[in-house]
């Protein structure tokens, strides 16, 4: 249920509603918009709850949220959520490209790739230290040593970093070194992991499961949001279909569908969807054209020696060309690319309390 406050409501009105929501055994979640405050009241409501809240001073309307996800829903938070990660704005019209190797394999490769993607304009550095692999015999990542290298590379390049966590027991160590947490496709419905990252203050980048519906993806976001972490980004990364030409089938329609239903930023991962490097630039460009707030792209300086996902890793020179095209397309669709080192001062994050941090 959401309580929409009048634009004339004062702070005491909001406090009174929040207290009443708690008394009714519901959990309040505040969303402060430019003109109005909305209070989400999450939990089992009793028959008269709606009528009781409706009568409080400053309350304009009390409505049921029709979707099964509440805090992720646009009904609860109308404006696009825009996050700030070390000065990089994510969401809405801000286009960011996250790039780097699939896995952190060595200092030399990580730093070479980091420098190349930074020079080409990527704003966030990726690299996996804990790799979920289909085979238990495959390289499964460097663990904490890899995280240390990622932090060093991010600090040296001045880029925020993102890395995947696969085990709730590793959330603390990942938070110690990385600026953003990735939940991989295979863990999208690992609910304990979602609850654990929901207790942190790091932005959580959730990738759509291989066979998950959009509603299921939004329910996963809800798990994180329900714990008080409002910094969630969603990512379409390809789903399983009968098509065999690509590793997965990139569901580009997921982007506008999610944007219609949710205020959360939507990214696309063309690398894991395609599985082939030659297809990645076209799909990345298409992602921006369809309105995504960014793409996450795997890049490697010597992909034939990569320990993970080599066939889909784009070479640095092709990544550079792709970035040039992405900038042009972003301009056409009225979005702006956050280039590394270039402060975007044209759009301020919305003043919407905890939602725009
Ligand atoms: C990855 O980003 O390297 C990865 C494993 O992605 P996904 O979870 O989408 O397969
Ligand atoms: Mn990968």
């Amino acid at each position: 249920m959401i309580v929409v406050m009048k634009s004339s409501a004062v702070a005491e009105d909001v406090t009174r509603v929040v207290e009443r929501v708690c008394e009714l055994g519901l959990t309040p979640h505040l969303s402060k918009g430019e003109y109005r405050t909305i209070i989400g009241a999450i939990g089992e409501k009793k028959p008269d709850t709606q009528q009781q809240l409706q009568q409080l001073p400053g309350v304009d309307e009390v409505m049921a949220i029709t979707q099964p996800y509440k805090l992720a829903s646009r009904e609860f938070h109308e404006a696009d959520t825009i996050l700030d990660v070390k000065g990089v704005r994510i969401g809405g019209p801000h286009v960011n490209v996250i790039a780097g190797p699939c896995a952190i394999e060595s200092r030399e490769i990580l730093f070479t790739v980091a420098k190349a993607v930074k020079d080409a304009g990527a704003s966030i550095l990726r690299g996996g230290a804990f790799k979920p692999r289909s085979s238990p015999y495959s390289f499964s990542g460097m663990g904490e040593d890899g995280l240390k290298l990622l932090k060093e590379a991010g600090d040296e390049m001045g880029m925020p970093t993102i890395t995947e966590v696969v085990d709730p027991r590793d959330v603390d160590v990942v938070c110690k070194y990385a600026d953003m947490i990735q939940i991989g496709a295979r863990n999208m419905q690992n609910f304990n992991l979602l609850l654990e990252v929901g207790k942190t203050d790091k932005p959580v980048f959730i990738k759509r499961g291989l066979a998950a519906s959009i509603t299921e993806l939004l329910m996963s976001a809800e798990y994180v949001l329900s714990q008080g972490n409002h910094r969630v980004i969603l990512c379409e990364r390809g789903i399983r279909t009968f098509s065999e030409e690509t590793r997965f089938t990139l569901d580009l329609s997921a982007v506008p569908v999610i944007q219609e239903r949710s205020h959360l930023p939507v990214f696309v991962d063309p690398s894991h969807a395609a599985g082939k490097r030659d297809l990645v630039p076209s799909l990345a460009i298409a992602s921006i054209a369809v309105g995504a707030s960014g793409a996450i792209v795997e890049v490697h300086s010597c992909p034939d020696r990569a320990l993970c996902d080599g066939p889909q890793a784009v070479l640095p020179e092709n990544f550079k060309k792709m970035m040039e095209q992405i900038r042009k397309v972003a301009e056409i669709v009225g979005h702006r690319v956050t280039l590394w080192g270039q402060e975007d001062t044209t759009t301020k994050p919305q003043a919407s309390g905890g939602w725009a941090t």
Side-chain angles (χ1 to χ4, degrees):
M1 190 165 31
I2 53 174
V3 182
V4 183
M5 301 301 289
K6 290 180 180 154
S7 50
S8 57
V10 293
E12 292 86 73
D13 297 335
V14 175
T15 310
R16 199 176 297 110
V17 172
V18 168
E19 283 170 2
R20 192 74 190 100
V21 165
C22 294
E23 273 174 39
L24 289 161
L26 304 169
T27 308
H29 290 265
L30 228 64
S31 163
K32 281 195 182 128
E34 213 172 320
Y35 303 108
R36 286 162 180 265
T37 296
I38 290 181
I39 301 151
I42 310 294
E44 282 299 314
K45 63 175 168 46
K46 297 179 191 79
D48 326 335
T49 303
Q50 199 158 339
Q51 280 176 349
Q52 289 185 6
L53 291 171
Q54 184 72 65
Q55 296 170 53
L56 294 177
V59 171
D60 189 10
E61 231 182 321
V62 183
M63 298 182 292
I65 302 180
T66 49
Q67 305 286 9
Y69 40 86
K70 312 291 177 195
L71 304 172
S73 162
R74 239 192 227 284
E75 292 177 71
F76 172 58
H77 193 269
E78 204 182 345
D80 289 340
T81 280
I82 297 179
L83 319 173
D84 190 307
V85 186
K86 283 188 158 172
V88 174
R89 285 177 202 140
I90 301 174
H94 303 275
V95 170
N96 286 278
V97 176
I98 304 172
C102 175
I104 301 153
E105 301 169 2
S106 71
R107 162 180 258 280
E108 196 199 334
I109 293 171
L110 179 64
F111 276 67
T112 304
V113 175
K115 169 99 177 58
V117 299
K118 179 191 96 170
D119 289 349
S123 48
I124 299 166
L125 179 64
R126 67 151 286 151
F130 298 102
K131 296 304 304 173
R133 303 304 300 272
S134 302
S135 164
Y137 310 117
S138 300
F139 171 67
S140 61
M142 290 178 70
E144 188 168 357
D145 288 343
L147 293 175
K148 285 180 187 162
L149 289 177
L150 184 67
K151 176 162 171 42
E152 242 187 83
D155 287 349
E156 187 160 319
M157 306 299 157
M159 297 167 90
T161 57
I162 180 166
T163 197
E164 179 167 354
V165 65
V166 298
D167 187 323
R169 291 169 296 187
D170 293 327
V171 169
D172 284 348
V173 73
V174 163
C175 287
K176 184 170 162 197
Y177 297 105
D179 301 305
M180 295 169 69
I181 305 173
Q182 178 175 318
I183 298 292
R186 288 155 192 84
N187 272 309
M188 188 205 86
Q189 287 188 314
N190 182 338
F191 301 120
N192 286 336
L193 185 61
L194 295 172
L195 291 174
E196 209 54 39
V197 297
K199 290 177 198 144
T200 74
D201 61 358
K202 301 279 180 183
V204 180
F205 187 91
I206 309 178
K207 298 180 92 177
R208 181 179 180 184
L210 324 182
S213 68
I214 287 171
T215 300
E216 285 166 335
L217 173 61
L218 289 165
M219 291 310 287
S220 294
E222 193 75 13
Y223 264 87
V224 178
L225 298 168
S226 72
Q227 298 307 295
N229 187 348
H230 295 161
R231 307 172 86 201
V232 175
I233 299 153
L234 302 170
C235 180
E236 159 60 36
R237 49 79 71 207
I239 49 173
R240 278 248 194 273
T241 67
F242 53 83
S243 175
E244 291 171 345
E245 283 68 27
T246 49
R247 190 175 172 191
F248 294 92
T249 300
L250 186 61
D251 179 12
L252 277 182
S253 59
V255 175
V257 170
I258 298 171
Q259 285 171 336
E260 198 180 297
R261 297 191 195 174
S262 176
H263 52 89
L264 297 171
V266 187
F267 273 57
V268 171
D269 175 347
S271 305
H272 291 87
K276 296 174 189 160
R277 79 173 58 91
D278 291 350
L279 301 177
V280 171
S282 328
L283 294 178
I285 293 160
S287 310
I288 305 310
V290 85
S293 290
I296 178 164
V297 176
E298 289 187 348
V299 179
H300 204 291
S301 48
C302 42
D304 53 328
R305 289 169 188 265
L307 300 178
C308 188
D309 287 348
Q312 68 198 34
V314 174
L315 289 160
E317 56 268 33
N318 293 335
F319 179 76
K320 189 164 178 265
K321 285 186 204 143
M322 184 200 90
M323 285 300 293
E324 283 160 15
Q325 289 173 304
I326 279 186
R327 265 172 240 171
K328 290 185 200 153
V329 172
E331 204 175 312
I332 292 167
V333 296
H335 284 183
R336 61 183 72 76
V337 180
T338 304
L339 298 175
W340 178 86
Q342 183 184 298
E343 176 61 3
D344 174 4
T345 49
T346 48
T347 308
K348 290 202 172 69
Q350 295 137 358
S352 55
W355 297 84
T357 54

